[in-house]
């Protein structure tokens, strides 16, 4: 649908500008007027007045979805209609991409579409699990319960993601600082001492010769280094896009010391919680497994769950097919088997998710405790080598002068 830019006045006479998605200019006027505004002008958006949509990463984060679901539940529980709730939420949300999507969802519902179908048009905003839950909630008449369950799901997903990001952030920042400091010393500090080193009538230590050679190479051939880095990044990204690349990096992610354990537990937590949420909504197990597979970021686990969905469709118990993959810890197989035998698979998955959420938290703390001294030692070694390369000839020179 086209997008229109409008100028309007509110009840206090203040001018408001914005964009609205509608079929025609008349529909755009109706949508803006429905917000209690007096429309002054409406025209189709162009490159000069259209809202920019330059983004990096995801448009909507799990925390945004959790807040949206909780607010939506509160409004529905208070007797507010779905259309009115969408209108209010689109005006108060701080995420402009979600606000735009909610306005479009509202317009589609007003034309007779279901909430699930309208949300399904915005795959970059609303994940498949959310659309499936809404569709199941509309079919069963339990839409409020579906949104309440989703708010808990996204809230816990956001917490888990936050812990993992926290574990990765510190070593990344320190590594960047170490690289910047090392390059600065090689490009600025070492060359400033080169003339003094050249004037010394003495044999330079091996470490000094090596650092000077490295400094000369960086200063003289920095463009070659830059080209190699760019080509390397492009090659890695191209390889990651292939089947073999996805398998290689996914296997590497779960086999790395410390980090591998954290990735495995994170995958188990996401698998258990998402599957529990979908089963609770009434989705068949096979369909739920297909959706769960698409939510997993690790390609090895994604393929394993896809294979599990095919096996379950042929009558093989979920616990049996997961055990064959040898990717999930024995706890997962055991708890799912109990759930299948007792008919309480959803409850067992919920307990599994809670257990692995706690495991992710503890493992994150362990990884942080182990990485901090390791990263500091590596950084100290790099800087220490550079300092030693600069100071060694000076110390040797002072010793010669003292012996004279």
């Amino acid at each position: 649908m086209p997008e229109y830019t409008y100028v309007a006045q509110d009840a206090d006479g203040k001018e408001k500008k914005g964009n609205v998605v509608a079929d025609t200019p008349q529909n755009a006027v109706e949508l803006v007027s429905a917000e209690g505004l007096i429309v002054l002008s409406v025209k189709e958006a162009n490159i000069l007045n259209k809202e920019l949509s330059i983004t990096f990463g995801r448009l909507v984060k799990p925390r945004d979805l959790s807040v949206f679901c909780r607010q939506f539940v509160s409004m529905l529980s208070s007797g507010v209609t779905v259309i009115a709730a969408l209108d209010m939420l689109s005006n108060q949300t701080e995420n402009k991409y979600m606000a735009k999507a909610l306005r479009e969802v509202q317009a589609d519902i007003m034309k007779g579409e279901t909430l699930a179908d309208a949300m399904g048009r915005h795959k970059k905003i609303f994940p498949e699990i959310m659309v499936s839950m809404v569709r199941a909630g509309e079919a069963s008449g339990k839409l409020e319960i579906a949104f309440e369950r989703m708010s808990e799901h996204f809230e816990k997903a956001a917490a888990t993601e936050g812990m993992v990001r926290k574990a990765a952030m510190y070593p990344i920042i320190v590594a960047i600082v170490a690289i910047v400091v090392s390059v600065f010393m090689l490009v600025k500090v070492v060359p400033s001492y080169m003339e003094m080193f050249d004037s010394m009538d003495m044999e330079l230590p091996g470490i000094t010769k090596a650092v000077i050679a490295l400094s000369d190479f960086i200063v003289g051939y920095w463009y070659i280094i830059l080209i190699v880095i760019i080509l390397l990044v492009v090659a890695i990204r191209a390889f990651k896009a292939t089947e073999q690349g996805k398998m290689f990096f996914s296997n590497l992610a779960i086999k790395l010391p410390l980090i591998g354990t954290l990735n495995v537990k994170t995958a188990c937590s996401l698998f258990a919680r998402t599957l529990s949420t979908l089963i609770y909504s009434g989705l068949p197990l096979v369909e739920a497994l297909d959706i769960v597979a698409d939510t997993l970021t690790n390609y090895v686990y994604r393929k394993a769950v896809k294979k599990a969905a095919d096996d379950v469709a042929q009558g093989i118990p979920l616990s049996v097919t997961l055990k064959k993959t040898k990717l999930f810890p024995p706890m997962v197989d055991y708890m799912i088997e109990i759930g299948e035998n007792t008919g309480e698979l959803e409850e067992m998955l919920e307990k599994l998710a809670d257990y692995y959420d706690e495991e992710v938290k503890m493992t994150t703390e362990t990884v942080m405790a182990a990485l901090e001294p390791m990263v500091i030692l590596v950084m100290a070694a790099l800087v220490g080598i550079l300092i030693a390369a600069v100071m060694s000839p000076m110390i040797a020179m002072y010793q010669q002068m003292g012996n004279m």
Side-chain angles (χ1 to χ4, degrees), residues 76-265:
L76 293 182
S77 301
S78 302
V80 178
T81 64
V82 171
I83 293 177
L86 290 171
D87 180 52
M88 286 186 280
L89 289 173
S90 66
N91 289 324
Q92 70 182 46
T93 182
E94 296 181 358
N95 188 305
K96 63 178 182 179
Y97 305 104
M98 176 175 277
K100 180 180 178 181
L102 291 176
R103 286 194 292 268
E104 294 183 13
V105 168
Q106 181 190 17
D108 289 337
I109 293 176
M110 292 174 68
K111 291 189 293 187
E113 292 194 23
T114 64
L115 178 58
D117 289 340
M119 293 174 66
R121 296 176 181 270
H122 306 276
K123 298 185 182 298
K124 292 184 178 181
I125 304 297
F126 306 110
E128 187 174 356
I129 179 178
M130 191 172 187
V131 176
S132 299
M133 286 283 287
V134 171
R135 182 171 285 111
E138 288 180 311
S140 62
K142 299 178 180 178
L143 188 59
E144 293 180 30
I145 297 176
F147 270 97
E148 186 173 353
R149 182 78 180 214
M150 282 187 293
S151 68
E152 296 175 0
H153 172 87
F154 289 122
E155 186 176 343
K156 291 181 178 179
T160 302
E161 181 181 289
M163 286 187 290
V164 175
R165 285 182 179 275
K166 181 182 178 182
M169 190 63 65
Y170 178 79
I172 290 174
I173 292 176
V174 175
I176 292 173
V177 171
I179 293 172
V180 171
V181 170
S182 300
V183 171
F184 176 79
M185 292 188 70
L186 287 169
V187 173
K188 293 293 184 180
V189 178
V190 173
S192 65
Y193 283 89
M194 288 179 62
E195 292 184 4
M196 181 178 67
F197 293 158
D198 292 338
S199 64
M200 291 182 180
D201 187 18
M202 60 177 293
E203 181 71 17
L204 294 176
I207 188 173
T208 304
K209 291 180 179 179
V211 169
I212 291 175
L214 181 59
S215 175
D216 290 340
F217 181 78
I218 292 176
V219 173
Y221 302 98
W222 62 268
Y223 53 92
I224 296 179
I225 297 173
L226 183 61
I227 292 173
V228 170
I229 292 174
I230 293 174
L231 291 176
L232 188 61
V233 171
V234 171
I236 291 175
R237 289 177 66 89
F239 180 58
K240 285 182 69 175
T242 64
E243 180 79 12
Q244 297 83 356
K246 291 176 182 177
M247 292 295 294
F248 173 79
F249 285 106
S250 294
N251 274 311
L252 183 64
I254 60 178
K255 291 179 180 179
L256 286 171
L258 295 177
I259 301 296
T261 303
L262 179 60
N263 288 331
V264 169
K265 292 180 179 180

